[in-house]
Amino acid sequence: MLASPYRWRFLMRALILIPLATAVLLGSCGYMNNPLRRETHRLQRGRIIDTSSFVYDLPYPKGVSHTLVQGYFTQFTHKRRAALDFKMPIGSVVCAAREGVVVRLKEDGSQGGIKKSNRAHANYVVIQHADSSRAGYWHLQQNGVLVHTGDSVKKGQPIAYSGNTGYTYFPHLHFIVWTFDRNGRFKQMPTRFRTQKGPRYLRAIRSYRNPPD
């Protein structure tokens, strides 16, 4: 039998990984009527090819690898979100995936966990790009933001340290890109990333290394 501390760790990992694995397996079953979800799924599978959208860098330093534990429109907490969750130890360096201007940030949050009431405590940085799209980097470490509102940042520039603040099951970086349509309505944008195998729409439960320039 596992010793008490090790058994606790094992149970906690199971509680995290089993729902995530289920999310990936069931990702093709729910919310099939969302056109963006269907299109993103086809892009991930290579059934349609995108040659026009902006290619982002992975949001961490060159040569570093992190595992994508939750992808676009998965069943766990991304049912309606074109967002990505990268598993990162607290204190990992987060880099700008694209150049732009910092328009919002928060770094005074200290709470994190599985209660939805923790959402308000999430630390984040939001960067606006030249085409008016925005990228959000969420769940950052308390007092771990390295930039200020109004700063211009370069692609690949360190902007924060990852954490576990807000509504989280474990330490990770939540990354999402969005824009607004002509009527001012929020519009999510699934994004391609530069990988060792070329531009890709990332898929969950895979590790991605940020390649050198």
Side-chain angles (χ1 to χ4, degrees), residues 121-134:
H121 301 282
N123 297 319
Y124 60 82
V125 171
V126 176
I127 296 175
Q128 181 160 313
H129 311 128
D131 60 1
S132 296
S133 64
R134 295 184 174 190

Side-chain angles (χ1 to χ4, degrees), residues 165-184:
T165 57
Y167 179 40
T168 59
Y169 280 73
F170 52 88
H172 70 282
L173 174 70
H174 178 87
F175 179 87
I176 184 170
V177 176
W178 71 92
T179 188
F180 298 95
D181 66 16
R182 293 180 179 178
N183 297 315

